[in-house]
Amino acid sequence: MAMKILDNCIDCGACEPECPNQAIEPGDGIYVIDPERCSECVGAFETPQCVEHCPVDECIVADPAFQETREQLERRYAQLHPA
Ligand code: SF4
């Protein structure tokens, strides 16, 4: 699953520089994650770094609209970071 930022986002931007895939951008009052670039940090970190650095509880959650296997997430990370 890609992660999703909910509308309790305070627009602080703490998550943006922590994403290894440059998947996070400022949106209209809240930050937004591009599901085509989010690998849930698979390939780079053990846990989603946006969640780790977000100061708001329950702000960044797994998006059930984007169900993906670990293999799919690994493939995405590899495609985004060619050797
Ligand atoms: Fe970026 Fe990782 Fe958050 Fe996905 S889970 S948006 S890859 S920091």
Side-chain angles (χ1 to χ4, degrees):
M1 274 180 261
M3 304 304 285
K4 178 179 176 156
I5 298 175
L6 302 180
D7 60 10
N8 56 347
C9 169
I10 58 172
D11 212 23
C12 70
C15 56
E16 185 183 7
E18 304 300 335
C19 178
N21 297 346
Q22 287 83 47
I24 306 173
E25 287 183 341
D28 186 13
I30 66 171
Y31 277 73
V32 178
I33 294 173
D34 179 353
E36 299 295 323
R37 296 189 67 89
C38 177
S39 66
E40 295 179 42
C41 284
V42 167
F45 297 99
E46 292 296 316
T47 56
Q49 294 301 291
C50 52
V51 177
E52 296 287 336
H53 290 86
C54 179
V56 180
D57 284 343
E58 303 289 323
C59 178
I60 308 177
V61 299
D63 186 347
F66 293 93
Q67 305 265 1
E68 292 155 309
T69 65
R70 186 171 179 93
E71 288 70 29
Q72 286 173 304
L73 295 171
E74 284 172 351
R75 204 160 39 239
R76 173 168 302 140
Y77 184 82
Q79 283 168 350
L80 290 168
H81 301 274

